[in-house]
């Protein structure tokens, strides 16, 4: 018989909002003097999980930006990374000379960010930085730099605010941890 998992509150919507306000202020301040050549910050959102985070973050930025999307897969339907990163949907705009900011909702093993940063660098952007809402440092398999981080979290499987478990729970306003 299937047992339904229990959801425990982890970060409430107002707490998430505060983290994002701080991130957006830092990013805006850092990039304001750097965009005179390109005119805009080039944001790459990792689908599907970073959907809500990116939408909220981008609306709080005070610098001009362009937005593109990438969809990578390293997870199957469960809670463990499969280790292989595949491109399911590639970016659509050229990156040469751009200041690129990757927006990801959670950095876990680091494989996704490592893969993406290396791949984007091959297009010769002016810079590439990473913004993550959450990071689980204890799970890191590949060291990656997260230049703008909302919060470190312990090794718990999280859902809500874009984070899913087998495509469920993305639409929760709060972030919760799952206990099965
Ligand atoms: P990484 O490549 O192992 O760093 O995994 C990154 C991606 O795995 C994240 O962007 C999420 O999409 C997914 N992921 C990692 N941890 C969790 C979690 O706790 N809940 C839901 N998805 C997660
Ligand atoms: Mg993701």
């Amino acid at each position: 018989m299937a047992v339904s998992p229990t959801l425990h509150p982890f970060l409430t919507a107002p707490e998430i909002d505060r983290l994002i306000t701080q991130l957006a202020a830092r990013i805006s301040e850092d990039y304001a003097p750097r965009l005179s050549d390109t005119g805009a910050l080039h944001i790459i959102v990792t689908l599907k999980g970073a959907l809500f985070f990116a939408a909220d973050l981008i609306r709080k930025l005070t610098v001009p930006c362009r937005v593109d999307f990438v969809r990578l897969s390293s997870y199957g339907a469960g809670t463990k990374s499969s280790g292989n990163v595949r491109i399911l949907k590639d970016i659509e705009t050229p990156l040469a000379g751009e200041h690129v900011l990757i927006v990801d909702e959670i950095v876990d093993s680091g494989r996704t960010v490592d893969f993406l940063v290396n791949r984007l660098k091959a297009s010769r952007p002016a810079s590439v930085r990473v913004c993550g809402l959450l990071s689980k440092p204890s799970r890191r398999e590949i060291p990656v730099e997260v230049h703008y981080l909302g919060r470190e979290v312990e090794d718990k499987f999280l859902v809500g605010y874009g984070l899913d478990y087998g495509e469920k729970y993305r639409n929760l306003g709060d972030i919760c941890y799952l206990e099965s």
Side-chain angles (χ1 to χ4, degrees):
M1 194 180 74
V3 182
S4 348
T6 316
L7 294 177
H8 299 274
F10 187 76
L11 270 177
T12 63
E15 287 168 336
I16 297 168
D17 187 66
R18 274 196 291 279
L19 292 177
I20 296 176
T21 301
Q22 289 164 5
L23 285 171
R26 280 184 54 210
I27 294 167
S28 300
E29 191 182 317
D30 284 3
Y31 283 98
R34 303 182 73 197
L35 300 175
S36 48
D37 293 350
T38 68
L41 177 61
H42 198 97
I43 294 178
I44 295 185
V45 181
T46 59
L47 294 173
K48 307 177 199 171
L51 169 71
F52 303 110
F53 171 43
D56 288 340
L57 178 77
I58 292 166
R59 283 179 295 173
K60 287 181 195 269
L61 294 178
T62 55
V63 288
C65 52
R66 291 186 271 273
V67 184
D68 199 353
F69 300 90
V70 68
R71 189 165 167 224
L72 303 167
S73 155
S74 67
Y75 270 56
T79 62
K80 283 251 163 60
S81 170
S82 67
N84 293 322
V85 180
R86 287 184 304 138
I87 299 173
L88 301 177
K89 187 230 164 289
D90 211 343
I91 54 165
E92 294 170 11
T93 36
L95 297 185
E98 297 290 341
H99 289 288
V100 174
L101 182 67
I102 295 169
V103 174
D104 201 355
E105 78 287 7
I106 190 163
V107 183
D108 188 46
S109 70
R111 286 180 187 281
T112 305
V113 164
D114 180 66
F115 174 90
L116 195 52
V117 167
N118 287 323
R119 191 160 190 281
L120 299 185
K121 277 185 175 164
S123 306
R124 305 260 166 237
S127 67
V128 180
R129 287 186 179 172
V130 177
C131 174
L133 177 61
L134 305 173
S135 168
K136 293 184 198 168
S138 65
R139 301 250 312 165
R140 209 68 96 242
E141 292 168 24
I142 300 181
V144 288
E145 193 173 353
V146 185
H147 307 80
Y148 304 98
L149 175 63
R151 223 194 103 157
E152 288 190 350
V153 296
E154 59 262 52
D155 182 8
K156 284 183 156 69
F157 195 80
L158 302 171
V159 295
Y161 196 65
L163 292 157
D164 74 305
Y165 175 58
E167 292 301 324
K168 272 183 79 177
Y169 309 116
R170 286 196 202 275
N171 57 326
L172 300 178
D174 299 335
I175 294 177
C176 301
Y177 69 91
L178 257 194
E179 191 182 62
S180 46

